[in-house]
């Protein structure tokens, strides 16, 4: 399982804008970007009475076309790390401009809380 730092580093290797927090997705500056944010904390019991904190992040990818090459690169990087998430896809209609393609998945990481 990745750490949060490893997840962040993997996203930055895509060489596109990366931000933490859902609001980064709404920023209209870049047509292609990736952002992530936590939405679930789970205490997972390890050995004995010790436990690890597993934090689930949503990783969202915004693009101007479906199956963007950087989205496919993200999928391959996750697979290389033995992470095989389910990706969901939707088209988001634009309000004050063009719409965009939104793809997202969940990734669990180990993190100190």
């Amino acid at each position: 399982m990745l750490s949060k730092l490893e997840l962040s580093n993997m996203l930055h290797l895509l060489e596109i804008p990366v931000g933490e927090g859902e609001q980064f997705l709404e920023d209209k500056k870049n047509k292609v970007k990736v952002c992530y944010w936590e939405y679930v904390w789970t205490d997972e019991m390890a050995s004995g009475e010790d436990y690890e904190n597993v934090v689930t992040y949503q990783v969202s990818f915004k693009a101007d076309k479906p199956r963007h090459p950087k989205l496919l690169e993200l999928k391959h990087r996750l697979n290389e790390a033995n992470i095989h998430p389910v990706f969901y896809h939707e088209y988001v209609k634009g309000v004050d401009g063009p719409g965009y393609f939104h793809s997202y998945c969940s990734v669990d990481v180990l993190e100190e809380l």
Side-chain angles (χ1 to χ4, degrees), residues 1-105:
M1 192 174 300
L2 297 176
S3 68
K4 181 181 177 186
L5 179 60
E6 290 169 325
L7 174 62
S8 176
N9 289 341
M10 180 185 294
L11 297 176
H12 281 88
L13 286 173
L14 296 172
E15 297 180 346
I16 58 174
V18 176
E20 186 172 358
E22 205 169 347
Q23 68 282 359
F24 185 75
L25 189 64
E26 300 304 319
D27 178 4
K28 296 180 182 182
K29 289 182 182 177
N30 302 307
K31 289 184 180 181
V32 178
K33 66 175 90 177
V34 65
C35 66
Y36 62 107
W37 62 88
E38 62 186 58
Y39 69 97
V40 177
W41 293 351
T42 306
D43 292 339
E44 224 173 75
M45 294 305 291
S47 59
E49 293 184 24
D50 293 333
Y51 65 92
E52 298 175 327
N53 298 304
V54 176
V55 178
T56 303
Y57 281 84
Q58 177 167 319
V59 178
S60 282
F61 189 92
K62 181 179 179 179
D64 53 354
K65 62 183 179 180
R67 292 195 183 189
H68 192 280
K70 291 294 183 175
L71 175 61
L72 297 174
E73 181 181 341
L74 171 60
K75 181 190 180 319
H76 292 301
R77 288 186 185 279
L78 289 167
N79 293 163
E80 287 173 354
N82 204 27
I83 299 169
H84 302 275
V86 174
F87 279 87
Y88 299 90
H89 311 281
E90 63 184 349
Y91 180 78
V92 179
K93 289 185 179 183
V95 177
D96 296 329
Y100 61 90
F101 294 91
H102 176 223
S103 300
Y104 58 97
C105 67

